[in-house]
Amino acid sequence: HPVVEVLLSQRGFVPNDTRLDTEEQRLIILTGPNMAGKSTYLRQVALIVLMAQMGSFVPAESASIGIVDRIFTRVGASDDLGTGQSTFMVGMTELANILNNATQRSLVIIDEVGRGTSTYDGMAISQAAVEYLHDKVLARSIVSTHYHELTYLEDSLPGVKNYHVQVVEDRGRVAFLYTVARGGTDRSYGLNVARMAGLPRSVLRRAHRLLSRLEASHGQGGQLQFHDLFFQEAADFNDEPEDNGILEELKGIRIDQITPLDALQLLNKWQKSLTQE
């Protein structure tokens, strides 16, 4: 990135390769958590292509960039209240401009396609837009998303490839590697980022319980209804730390009847439970 690399000169900037062609890899679906560098990666590709079209040197060890007639972008979240357009409407207007005007010679950069509406609406719009870009427009494209279901399109669309931004998780904390690697991901680490932002511990505990139940519901065919999640039990925002049932479980253990391996497994389970609070 011609700007961020300079601003991060003391801390170091992580470079990433990019390959887009007109055949096997013309559309990249990019997944990964917030704060991990997806937007920077998208913008650096667009900026390097723009600089190359100007005849400028580009911040890369090597580059082979063909002619691009236009660069289309849909990034960020903004509204236009003066004309009555919501954030979602602005995003849809920008997406419509891309789908109606991009050509096979264009570069398309879309950051978080389909956000700002219901989950099912957003997923439906996102998949349809990606399919249209792949089948009709044929433009070289990078689409970032938190709709992990879109990664399945690699199996049915020959020009789609999945990439993700790598992170390392250790005891409930995440470290961003800012490295783009092959393959998709099925996690967004939203609660981890929320913890980094400073949300109260009680809010994080409640969110973790709800997330666990949502994930369990998804694994059981999605039978659990949302009103069950939010009204079946009262939310407890007591800021006192909880033992999550660990003390009761500890009281019931017969020390002389468990193996060292069992003890280590219990410690590991309790540690994970507490670090996720």
Side-chain angles (χ1 to χ4, degrees), residues 221-268:
Q223 298 301 312
L224 190 63
Q225 300 297 317
F226 277 99
H227 62 77
D228 293 329
L229 285 170
F230 293 102
F231 297 112
Q232 189 173 3
E233 63 183 27
D236 179 13
F237 293 112
N238 183 2
D239 282 323
E240 291 298 319
E242 299 178 353
D243 62 25
N244 211 13
I246 292 175
L247 288 179
E248 290 302 316
E249 191 173 1
L250 184 59
K251 290 176 184 177
I253 291 178
R254 297 289 300 272
I255 300 296
D256 57 341
Q257 294 182 3
I258 65 170
T259 66
L261 178 60
D262 291 335
L264 286 174
Q265 290 175 337
L266 279 171
L267 283 173
N268 182 57

mmCIF file of all heavy atoms in Angstrom, residues 221-268:
data_model
loop_
_atom_site.group_PDB
_atom_site.id
_atom_site.type_symbol
_atom_site.label_atom_id
_atom_site.label_comp_id
_atom_site.label_asym_id
_atom_site.label_seq_id
_atom_site.Cartn_x
_atom_site.Cartn_y
_atom_site.Cartn_z
ATOM 1 N N GLY A 221 -30.065 -27.883 12.869
ATOM 2 C CA GLY A 221 -31.091 -27.601 11.879
ATOM 3 C C GLY A 221 -31.798 -26.279 12.078
ATOM 4 O O GLY A 221 -32.813 -26.005 11.439
ATOM 5 N N GLY A 222 -31.274 -25.443 12.978
ATOM 6 C CA GLY A 222 -31.836 -24.105 13.146
ATOM 7 C C GLY A 222 -33.216 -24.098 13.788
ATOM 8 O O GLY A 222 -34.034 -23.232 13.505
ATOM 9 N N GLN A 223 -33.495 -25.055 14.699
ATOM 10 C CA GLN A 223 -34.822 -25.139 15.283
ATOM 11 C C GLN A 223 -35.058 -24.093 16.374
ATOM 12 O O GLN A 223 -36.188 -23.764 16.691
ATOM 13 C CB GLN A 223 -35.042 -26.544 15.876
ATOM 14 C CG GLN A 223 -34.983 -27.645 14.829
ATOM 15 C CD GLN A 223 -36.020 -27.448 13.750
ATOM 16 O OE1 GLN A 223 -37.182 -27.202 14.031
ATOM 17 N NE2 GLN A 223 -35.595 -27.542 12.497
ATOM 18 N N LEU A 224 -34.011 -23.600 16.994
ATOM 19 C CA LEU A 224 -34.164 -22.623 18.064
ATOM 20 C C LEU A 224 -34.591 -21.282 17.482
ATOM 21 O O LEU A 224 -33.963 -20.766 16.561
ATOM 22 C CB LEU A 224 -32.839 -22.469 18.816
ATOM 23 C CG LEU A 224 -32.861 -21.667 20.127
ATOM 24 C CD1 LEU A 224 -33.741 -22.370 21.135
ATOM 25 C CD2 LEU A 224 -31.448 -21.531 20.664
ATOM 26 N N GLN A 225 -35.667 -20.703 18.004
ATOM 27 C CA GLN A 225 -36.195 -19.450 17.486
ATOM 28 C C GLN A 225 -35.539 -18.281 18.205
ATOM 29 O O GLN A 225 -35.107 -18.375 19.352
ATOM 30 C CB GLN A 225 -37.715 -19.393 17.676
ATOM 31 C CG GLN A 225 -38.456 -20.524 16.971
ATOM 32 C CD GLN A 225 -38.272 -20.473 15.469
ATOM 33 O OE1 GLN A 225 -38.346 -19.398 14.872
ATOM 34 N NE2 GLN A 225 -38.018 -21.617 14.856
ATOM 35 N N PHE A 226 -35.521 -17.127 17.543
ATOM 36 C CA PHE A 226 -34.865 -15.966 18.125
ATOM 37 C C PHE A 226 -35.553 -15.514 19.411
ATOM 38 O O PHE A 226 -34.908 -15.049 20.334
ATOM 39 C CB PHE A 226 -34.829 -14.813 17.112
ATOM 40 C CG PHE A 226 -33.690 -14.918 16.148
ATOM 41 C CD1 PHE A 226 -33.876 -15.435 14.876
ATOM 42 C CD2 PHE A 226 -32.420 -14.534 16.513
ATOM 43 C CE1 PHE A 226 -32.828 -15.556 13.999
ATOM 44 C CE2 PHE A 226 -31.354 -14.644 15.642
ATOM 45 C CZ PHE A 226 -31.560 -15.155 14.380
ATOM 46 N N HIS A 227 -36.901 -15.644 19.496
ATOM 47 C CA HIS A 227 -37.555 -15.204 20.724
ATOM 48 C C HIS A 227 -37.166 -16.108 21.893
ATOM 49 O O HIS A 227 -37.157 -15.680 23.037
ATOM 50 C CB HIS A 227 -39.079 -15.165 20.555
ATOM 51 C CG HIS A 227 -39.699 -16.500 20.243
ATOM 52 N ND1 HIS A 227 -39.893 -17.473 21.200
ATOM 53 C CD2 HIS A 227 -40.158 -17.012 19.074
ATOM 54 C CE1 HIS A 227 -40.460 -18.534 20.645
ATOM 55 N NE2 HIS A 227 -40.625 -18.295 19.354
ATOM 56 N N ASP A 228 -36.795 -17.361 21.611
ATOM 57 C CA ASP A 228 -36.282 -18.228 22.666
ATOM 58 C C ASP A 228 -34.944 -17.717 23.176
ATOM 59 O O ASP A 228 -34.664 -17.734 24.364
ATOM 60 C CB ASP A 228 -36.097 -19.656 22.148
ATOM 61 C CG ASP A 228 -37.418 -20.320 21.813
ATOM 62 O OD1 ASP A 228 -38.415 -19.992 22.474
ATOM 63 O OD2 ASP A 228 -37.445 -21.137 20.880
ATOM 64 N N LEU A 229 -34.105 -17.244 22.240
ATOM 65 C CA LEU A 229 -32.778 -16.768 22.630
ATOM 66 C C LEU A 229 -32.857 -15.559 23.546
ATOM 67 O O LEU A 229 -32.130 -15.437 24.516
ATOM 68 C CB LEU A 229 -31.979 -16.383 21.382
ATOM 69 C CG LEU A 229 -31.423 -17.522 20.537
ATOM 70 C CD1 LEU A 229 -30.884 -16.975 19.237
ATOM 71 C CD2 LEU A 229 -30.341 -18.244 21.288
ATOM 72 N N PHE A 230 -33.761 -14.633 23.227
ATOM 73 C CA PHE A 230 -33.730 -13.353 23.906
ATOM 74 C C PHE A 230 -34.705 -13.243 25.069
ATOM 75 O O PHE A 230 -34.568 -12.368 25.894
ATOM 76 C CB PHE A 230 -34.001 -12.232 22.901
ATOM 77 C CG PHE A 230 -32.900 -12.082 21.899
ATOM 78 C CD1 PHE A 230 -33.010 -12.568 20.615
ATOM 79 C CD2 PHE A 230 -31.706 -11.484 22.259
ATOM 80 C CE1 PHE A 230 -31.977 -12.441 19.709
ATOM 81 C CE2 PHE A 230 -30.665 -11.356 21.368
ATOM 82 C CZ PHE A 230 -30.801 -11.836 20.078
ATOM 83 N N PHE A 231 -35.692 -14.176 25.170
ATOM 84 C CA PHE A 231 -36.668 -14.028 26.228
ATOM 85 C C PHE A 231 -36.786 -15.252 27.123
ATOM 86 O O PHE A 231 -37.472 -15.232 28.105
ATOM 87 C CB PHE A 231 -38.051 -13.710 25.630
ATOM 88 C CG PHE A 231 -38.089 -12.413 24.875
ATOM 89 C CD1 PHE A 231 -38.263 -12.401 23.509
ATOM 90 C CD2 PHE A 231 -37.911 -11.213 25.528
ATOM 91 C CE1 PHE A 231 -38.280 -11.208 22.803
ATOM 92 C CE2 PHE A 231 -37.929 -10.019 24.839
ATOM 93 C CZ PHE A 231 -38.110 -10.018 23.465
ATOM 94 N N GLN A 232 -36.114 -16.333 26.762
ATOM 95 C CA GLN A 232 -36.230 -17.537 27.564
ATOM 96 C C GLN A 232 -35.583 -17.359 28.923
ATOM 97 O O GLN A 232 -36.030 -17.922 29.918
ATOM 98 C CB GLN A 232 -35.602 -18.717 26.835
ATOM 99 C CG GLN A 232 -35.872 -20.061 27.514
ATOM 100 C CD GLN A 232 -35.373 -21.209 26.684
ATOM 101 O OE1 GLN A 232 -34.785 -21.015 25.645
ATOM 102 N NE2 GLN A 232 -35.596 -22.419 27.151
ATOM 103 N N GLU A 233 -34.522 -16.582 28.983
ATOM 104 C CA GLU A 233 -33.860 -16.328 30.255
ATOM 105 C C GLU A 233 -33.558 -14.849 30.370
ATOM 106 O O GLU A 233 -33.329 -14.165 29.375
ATOM 107 C CB GLU A 233 -32.561 -17.136 30.351
ATOM 108 C CG GLU A 233 -31.529 -16.755 29.301
ATOM 109 C CD GLU A 233 -30.282 -17.614 29.365
ATOM 110 O OE1 GLU A 233 -30.387 -18.757 29.817
ATOM 111 O OE2 GLU A 233 -29.214 -17.134 28.957
ATOM 112 N N ALA A 234 -33.568 -14.358 31.599
ATOM 113 C CA ALA A 234 -33.287 -12.940 31.813
ATOM 114 C C ALA A 234 -31.793 -12.687 31.657
ATOM 115 O O ALA A 234 -30.957 -13.491 32.076
ATOM 116 C CB ALA A 234 -33.746 -12.524 33.211
ATOM 117 N N ALA A 235 -31.465 -11.578 31.033
ATOM 118 C CA ALA A 235 -30.062 -11.213 30.879
ATOM 119 C C ALA A 235 -29.513 -10.769 32.220
ATOM 120 O O ALA A 235 -30.152 -9.995 32.949
ATOM 121 C CB ALA A 235 -29.923 -10.098 29.849
ATOM 122 N N ASP A 236 -28.346 -11.255 32.568
ATOM 123 C CA ASP A 236 -27.691 -10.892 33.824
ATOM 124 C C ASP A 236 -26.438 -10.101 33.496
ATOM 125 O O ASP A 236 -25.473 -10.645 32.962
ATOM 126 C CB ASP A 236 -27.338 -12.158 34.609
ATOM 127 C CG ASP A 236 -26.635 -11.835 35.928
ATOM 128 O OD1 ASP A 236 -26.657 -10.653 36.326
ATOM 129 O OD2 ASP A 236 -26.062 -12.753 36.529
ATOM 130 N N PHE A 237 -26.475 -8.799 33.828
ATOM 131 C CA PHE A 237 -25.327 -7.945 33.526
ATOM 132 C C PHE A 237 -24.551 -7.604 34.783
ATOM 133 O O PHE A 237 -24.007 -6.518 34.922
ATOM 134 C CB PHE A 237 -25.793 -6.673 32.815
ATOM 135 C CG PHE A 237 -26.352 -6.936 31.449
ATOM 136 C CD1 PHE A 237 -27.695 -6.740 31.184
ATOM 137 C CD2 PHE A 237 -25.547 -7.411 30.435
ATOM 138 C CE1 PHE A 237 -28.215 -6.992 29.925
ATOM 139 C CE2 PHE A 237 -26.046 -7.678 29.176
ATOM 140 C CZ PHE A 237 -27.390 -7.467 28.919
ATOM 141 N N ASN A 238 -24.517 -8.524 35.713
ATOM 142 C CA ASN A 238 -23.720 -8.362 36.913
ATOM 143 C C ASN A 238 -22.257 -8.382 36.528
ATOM 144 O O ASN A 238 -21.785 -9.315 35.884
ATOM 145 C CB ASN A 238 -24.024 -9.492 37.905
ATOM 146 C CG ASN A 238 -23.259 -9.333 39.217
ATOM 147 O OD1 ASN A 238 -22.533 -8.368 39.405
ATOM 148 N ND2 ASN A 238 -23.437 -10.291 40.104
ATOM 149 N N ASP A 239 -21.507 -7.360 36.925
ATOM 150 C CA ASP A 239 -20.105 -7.271 36.534
ATOM 151 C C ASP A 239 -19.186 -8.126 37.391
ATOM 152 O O ASP A 239 -17.980 -8.142 37.183
ATOM 153 C CB ASP A 239 -19.629 -5.811 36.593
ATOM 154 C CG ASP A 239 -20.105 -5.020 35.380
ATOM 155 O OD1 ASP A 239 -20.137 -5.603 34.288
ATOM 156 O OD2 ASP A 239 -20.442 -3.841 35.542
ATOM 157 N N GLU A 240 -19.758 -8.818 38.388
ATOM 158 C CA GLU A 240 -18.911 -9.698 39.177
ATOM 159 C C GLU A 240 -18.489 -10.892 38.320
ATOM 160 O O GLU A 240 -19.294 -11.446 37.573
ATOM 161 C CB GLU A 240 -19.673 -10.199 40.416
ATOM 162 C CG GLU A 240 -19.947 -9.110 41.438
ATOM 163 C CD GLU A 240 -18.676 -8.517 41.987
ATOM 164 O OE1 GLU A 240 -17.731 -9.286 42.250
ATOM 165 O OE2 GLU A 240 -18.618 -7.290 42.130
ATOM 166 N N PRO A 241 -17.235 -11.316 38.417
ATOM 167 C CA PRO A 241 -16.794 -12.453 37.611
ATOM 168 C C PRO A 241 -17.556 -13.718 37.988
ATOM 169 O O PRO A 241 -17.918 -13.929 39.140
ATOM 170 C CB PRO A 241 -15.296 -12.580 37.950
ATOM 171 C CG PRO A 241 -15.144 -11.902 39.267
ATOM 172 C CD PRO A 241 -16.165 -10.794 39.288
ATOM 173 N N GLU A 242 -17.816 -14.564 36.991
ATOM 174 C CA GLU A 242 -18.538 -15.812 37.202
ATOM 175 C C GLU A 242 -17.580 -16.992 37.099
ATOM 176 O O GLU A 242 -16.585 -16.934 36.386
ATOM 177 C CB GLU A 242 -19.639 -15.964 36.153
ATOM 178 C CG GLU A 242 -20.664 -14.849 36.199
ATOM 179 C CD GLU A 242 -21.705 -15.016 35.115
ATOM 180 O OE1 GLU A 242 -21.536 -15.915 34.261
ATOM 181 O OE2 GLU A 242 -22.681 -14.253 35.120
ATOM 182 N N ASP A 243 -17.914 -18.072 37.836
ATOM 183 C CA ASP A 243 -17.078 -19.268 37.715
ATOM 184 C C ASP A 243 -17.624 -20.224 36.666
ATOM 185 O O ASP A 243 -17.034 -21.262 36.406
ATOM 186 C CB ASP A 243 -16.933 -19.977 39.060
ATOM 187 C CG ASP A 243 -18.273 -20.458 39.609
ATOM 188 O OD1 ASP A 243 -19.196 -20.686 38.814
ATOM 189 O OD2 ASP A 243 -18.383 -20.601 40.836
ATOM 190 N N ASN A 244 -18.796 -19.865 36.060
ATOM 191 C CA ASN A 244 -19.349 -20.645 34.954
ATOM 192 C C ASN A 244 -19.584 -22.107 35.351
ATOM 193 O O ASN A 244 -19.474 -23.004 34.540
ATOM 194 C CB ASN A 244 -18.405 -20.588 33.752
ATOM 195 C CG ASN A 244 -19.161 -20.674 32.444
ATOM 196 O OD1 ASN A 244 -20.375 -20.535 32.407
ATOM 197 N ND2 ASN A 244 -18.434 -20.907 31.368
ATOM 198 N N GLY A 245 -19.908 -22.319 36.659
ATOM 199 C CA GLY A 245 -20.163 -23.677 37.135
ATOM 200 C C GLY A 245 -18.924 -24.455 37.492
ATOM 201 O O GLY A 245 -19.010 -25.635 37.873
ATOM 202 N N ILE A 246 -17.769 -23.810 37.391
ATOM 203 C CA ILE A 246 -16.507 -24.519 37.617
ATOM 204 C C ILE A 246 -16.368 -24.952 39.073
ATOM 205 O O ILE A 246 -15.921 -26.069 39.368
ATOM 206 C CB ILE A 246 -15.312 -23.644 37.190
ATOM 207 C CG1 ILE A 246 -15.320 -23.477 35.665
ATOM 208 C CG2 ILE A 246 -13.997 -24.252 37.651
ATOM 209 C CD1 ILE A 246 -14.261 -22.536 35.153
ATOM 210 N N LEU A 247 -16.773 -24.086 40.028
ATOM 211 C CA LEU A 247 -16.620 -24.434 41.438
ATOM 212 C C LEU A 247 -17.447 -25.657 41.802
ATOM 213 O O LEU A 247 -16.980 -26.550 42.526
ATOM 214 C CB LEU A 247 -17.016 -23.244 42.321
ATOM 215 C CG LEU A 247 -16.041 -22.065 42.329
ATOM 216 C CD1 LEU A 247 -16.564 -20.947 43.225
ATOM 217 C CD2 LEU A 247 -14.669 -22.523 42.819
ATOM 218 N N GLU A 248 -18.673 -25.716 41.309
ATOM 219 C CA GLU A 248 -19.516 -26.873 41.601
ATOM 220 C C GLU A 248 -18.919 -28.147 41.009
ATOM 221 O O GLU A 248 -18.947 -29.212 41.628
ATOM 222 C CB GLU A 248 -20.929 -26.640 41.051
ATOM 223 C CG GLU A 248 -21.723 -25.587 41.803
ATOM 224 C CD GLU A 248 -21.866 -25.925 43.281
ATOM 225 O OE1 GLU A 248 -22.150 -27.103 43.586
ATOM 226 O OE2 GLU A 248 -21.672 -25.029 44.121
ATOM 227 N N GLU A 249 -18.395 -28.026 39.781
ATOM 228 C CA GLU A 249 -17.779 -29.192 39.155
ATOM 229 C C GLU A 249 -16.535 -29.637 39.917
ATOM 230 O O GLU A 249 -16.273 -30.828 40.086
ATOM 231 C CB GLU A 249 -17.425 -28.876 37.701
ATOM 232 C CG GLU A 249 -17.012 -30.085 36.887
ATOM 233 C CD GLU A 249 -16.820 -29.771 35.413
ATOM 234 O OE1 GLU A 249 -16.985 -28.592 35.030
ATOM 235 O OE2 GLU A 249 -16.496 -30.698 34.649
ATOM 236 N N LEU A 250 -15.779 -28.643 40.412
ATOM 237 C CA LEU A 250 -14.567 -28.946 41.162
ATOM 238 C C LEU A 250 -14.891 -29.660 42.467
ATOM 239 O O LEU A 250 -14.188 -30.593 42.883
ATOM 240 C CB LEU A 250 -13.796 -27.654 41.439
ATOM 241 C CG LEU A 250 -12.438 -27.772 42.139
ATOM 242 C CD1 LEU A 250 -11.490 -28.630 41.321
ATOM 243 C CD2 LEU A 250 -11.842 -26.385 42.366
ATOM 244 N N LYS A 251 -15.986 -29.229 43.129
ATOM 245 C CA LYS A 251 -16.367 -29.864 44.390
ATOM 246 C C LYS A 251 -16.718 -31.333 44.204
ATOM 247 O O LYS A 251 -16.529 -32.151 45.109
ATOM 248 C CB LYS A 251 -17.565 -29.124 44.989
ATOM 249 C CG LYS A 251 -17.249 -27.724 45.501
ATOM 250 C CD LYS A 251 -18.515 -27.028 45.994
ATOM 251 C CE LYS A 251 -18.229 -25.597 46.418
ATOM 252 N NZ LYS A 251 -19.485 -24.891 46.832
ATOM 253 N N GLY A 252 -17.235 -31.680 43.044
ATOM 254 C CA GLY A 252 -17.673 -33.051 42.816
ATOM 255 C C GLY A 252 -16.597 -33.990 42.321
ATOM 256 O O GLY A 252 -16.863 -35.183 42.122
ATOM 257 N N ILE A 253 -15.393 -33.499 42.109
ATOM 258 C CA ILE A 253 -14.320 -34.343 41.583
ATOM 259 C C ILE A 253 -13.687 -35.172 42.707
ATOM 260 O O ILE A 253 -13.376 -34.653 43.777
ATOM 261 C CB ILE A 253 -13.242 -33.467 40.904
ATOM 262 C CG1 ILE A 253 -13.798 -32.847 39.628
ATOM 263 C CG2 ILE A 253 -12.002 -34.300 40.582
ATOM 264 C CD1 ILE A 253 -12.817 -31.931 38.934
ATOM 265 N N ARG A 254 -13.524 -36.457 42.446
ATOM 266 C CA ARG A 254 -12.780 -37.328 43.360
ATOM 267 C C ARG A 254 -11.333 -37.368 42.884
ATOM 268 O O ARG A 254 -11.009 -38.039 41.900
ATOM 269 C CB ARG A 254 -13.395 -38.719 43.364
ATOM 270 C CG ARG A 254 -14.831 -38.773 43.886
ATOM 271 C CD ARG A 254 -14.889 -38.531 45.386
ATOM 272 N NE ARG A 254 -14.125 -39.539 46.119
ATOM 273 C CZ ARG A 254 -14.649 -40.699 46.507
ATOM 274 N NH1 ARG A 254 -15.908 -40.997 46.233
ATOM 275 N NH2 ARG A 254 -13.906 -41.566 47.189
ATOM 276 N N ILE A 255 -10.476 -36.641 43.557
ATOM 277 C CA ILE A 255 -9.097 -36.482 43.123
ATOM 278 C C ILE A 255 -8.400 -37.828 42.968
ATOM 279 O O ILE A 255 -7.579 -38.024 42.057
ATOM 280 C CB ILE A 255 -8.317 -35.594 44.113
ATOM 281 C CG1 ILE A 255 -8.965 -34.208 44.211
ATOM 282 C CG2 ILE A 255 -6.848 -35.471 43.684
ATOM 283 C CD1 ILE A 255 -8.928 -33.433 42.932
ATOM 284 N N ASP A 256 -8.734 -38.779 43.863
ATOM 285 C CA ASP A 256 -8.043 -40.068 43.826
ATOM 286 C C ASP A 256 -8.563 -40.986 42.732
ATOM 287 O O ASP A 256 -8.067 -42.117 42.571
ATOM 288 C CB ASP A 256 -8.169 -40.774 45.187
ATOM 289 C CG ASP A 256 -9.613 -40.980 45.607
ATOM 290 O OD1 ASP A 256 -10.496 -40.281 45.041
ATOM 291 O OD2 ASP A 256 -9.875 -41.811 46.485
ATOM 292 N N GLN A 257 -9.574 -40.509 41.957
ATOM 293 C CA GLN A 257 -10.164 -41.370 40.940
ATOM 294 C C GLN A 257 -10.010 -40.829 39.514
ATOM 295 O O GLN A 257 -10.602 -41.364 38.585
ATOM 296 C CB GLN A 257 -11.662 -41.591 41.245
ATOM 297 C CG GLN A 257 -11.895 -42.359 42.523
ATOM 298 C CD GLN A 257 -13.380 -42.601 42.776
ATOM 299 O OE1 GLN A 257 -14.224 -42.229 41.954
ATOM 300 N NE2 GLN A 257 -13.691 -43.222 43.910
ATOM 301 N N ILE A 258 -9.246 -39.756 39.336
ATOM 302 C CA ILE A 258 -9.026 -39.242 37.985
ATOM 303 C C ILE A 258 -7.548 -39.371 37.632
ATOM 304 O O ILE A 258 -6.673 -39.319 38.495
ATOM 305 C CB ILE A 258 -9.477 -37.769 37.841
ATOM 306 C CG1 ILE A 258 -8.632 -36.837 38.709
ATOM 307 C CG2 ILE A 258 -10.943 -37.596 38.184
ATOM 308 C CD1 ILE A 258 -8.881 -35.369 38.419
ATOM 309 N N THR A 259 -7.296 -39.518 36.358
ATOM 310 C CA THR A 259 -5.924 -39.660 35.870
ATOM 311 C C THR A 259 -5.309 -38.277 35.627
ATOM 312 O O THR A 259 -6.038 -37.273 35.523
ATOM 313 C CB THR A 259 -5.902 -40.449 34.556
ATOM 314 O OG1 THR A 259 -6.563 -39.662 33.541
ATOM 315 C CG2 THR A 259 -6.617 -41.787 34.720
ATOM 316 N N PRO A 260 -3.999 -38.204 35.551
ATOM 317 C CA PRO A 260 -3.365 -36.916 35.216
ATOM 318 C C PRO A 260 -3.875 -36.339 33.899
ATOM 319 O O PRO A 260 -4.044 -35.122 33.766
ATOM 320 C CB PRO A 260 -1.875 -37.278 35.150
ATOM 321 C CG PRO A 260 -1.729 -38.452 36.056
ATOM 322 C CD PRO A 260 -3.001 -39.226 35.895
ATOM 323 N N LEU A 261 -4.144 -37.211 32.913
ATOM 324 C CA LEU A 261 -4.651 -36.727 31.636
ATOM 325 C C LEU A 261 -6.040 -36.112 31.797
ATOM 326 O O LEU A 261 -6.342 -35.054 31.224
ATOM 327 C CB LEU A 261 -4.692 -37.869 30.617
ATOM 328 C CG LEU A 261 -5.248 -37.496 29.225
ATOM 329 C CD1 LEU A 261 -4.411 -36.399 28.594
ATOM 330 C CD2 LEU A 261 -5.292 -38.733 28.330
ATOM 331 N N ASP A 262 -6.903 -36.768 32.600
ATOM 332 C CA ASP A 262 -8.229 -36.210 32.854
ATOM 333 C C ASP A 262 -8.118 -34.845 33.520
ATOM 334 O O ASP A 262 -8.882 -33.913 33.215
ATOM 335 C CB ASP A 262 -9.037 -37.158 33.751
ATOM 336 C CG ASP A 262 -9.412 -38.454 33.044
ATOM 337 O OD1 ASP A 262 -9.491 -38.433 31.794
ATOM 338 O OD2 ASP A 262 -9.615 -39.476 33.739
ATOM 339 N N ALA A 263 -7.189 -34.719 34.457
ATOM 340 C CA ALA A 263 -7.013 -33.449 35.161
ATOM 341 C C ALA A 263 -6.581 -32.347 34.200
ATOM 342 O O ALA A 263 -7.085 -31.215 34.265
ATOM 343 C CB ALA A 263 -5.977 -33.615 36.279
ATOM 344 N N LEU A 264 -5.660 -32.659 33.292
ATOM 345 C CA LEU A 264 -5.211 -31.676 32.312
ATOM 346 C C LEU A 264 -6.346 -31.268 31.382
ATOM 347 O O LEU A 264 -6.486 -30.093 31.022
ATOM 348 C CB LEU A 264 -4.039 -32.240 31.511
ATOM 349 C CG LEU A 264 -2.699 -32.318 32.231
ATOM 350 C CD1 LEU A 264 -1.674 -33.036 31.363
ATOM 351 C CD2 LEU A 264 -2.192 -30.913 32.575
ATOM 352 N N GLN A 265 -7.170 -32.240 30.990
ATOM 353 C CA GLN A 265 -8.292 -31.927 30.115
ATOM 354 C C GLN A 265 -9.305 -31.033 30.813
ATOM 355 O O GLN A 265 -9.876 -30.126 30.199
ATOM 356 C CB GLN A 265 -8.950 -33.217 29.633
ATOM 357 C CG GLN A 265 -8.092 -33.999 28.646
ATOM 358 C CD GLN A 265 -8.699 -35.334 28.273
ATOM 359 O OE1 GLN A 265 -9.517 -35.891 29.012
ATOM 360 N NE2 GLN A 265 -8.295 -35.878 27.129
ATOM 361 N N LEU A 266 -9.533 -31.268 32.102
ATOM 362 C CA LEU A 266 -10.431 -30.406 32.868
ATOM 363 C C LEU A 266 -9.882 -28.993 32.970
ATOM 364 O O LEU A 266 -10.608 -28.006 32.788
ATOM 365 C CB LEU A 266 -10.648 -30.987 34.272
ATOM 366 C CG LEU A 266 -11.669 -32.113 34.400
ATOM 367 C CD1 LEU A 266 -11.613 -32.719 35.790
ATOM 368 C CD2 LEU A 266 -13.071 -31.586 34.112
ATOM 369 N N LEU A 267 -8.592 -28.886 33.264
ATOM 370 C CA LEU A 267 -7.972 -27.557 33.339
ATOM 371 C C LEU A 267 -8.091 -26.823 32.012
ATOM 372 O O LEU A 267 -8.370 -25.618 31.973
ATOM 373 C CB LEU A 267 -6.499 -27.692 33.739
ATOM 374 C CG LEU A 267 -6.203 -27.981 35.212
ATOM 375 C CD1 LEU A 267 -4.714 -28.257 35.398
ATOM 376 C CD2 LEU A 267 -6.627 -26.799 36.083
ATOM 377 N N ASN A 268 -7.860 -27.532 30.929
ATOM 378 C CA ASN A 268 -7.962 -26.921 29.609
ATOM 379 C C ASN A 268 -9.386 -26.441 29.337
ATOM 380 O O ASN A 268 -9.606 -25.337 28.828
ATOM 381 C CB ASN A 268 -7.531 -27.930 28.547
ATOM 382 C CG ASN A 268 -7.562 -27.346 27.149
ATOM 383 O OD1 ASN A 268 -6.913 -26.343 26.864
ATOM 384 N ND2 ASN A 268 -8.315 -27.969 26.261
#
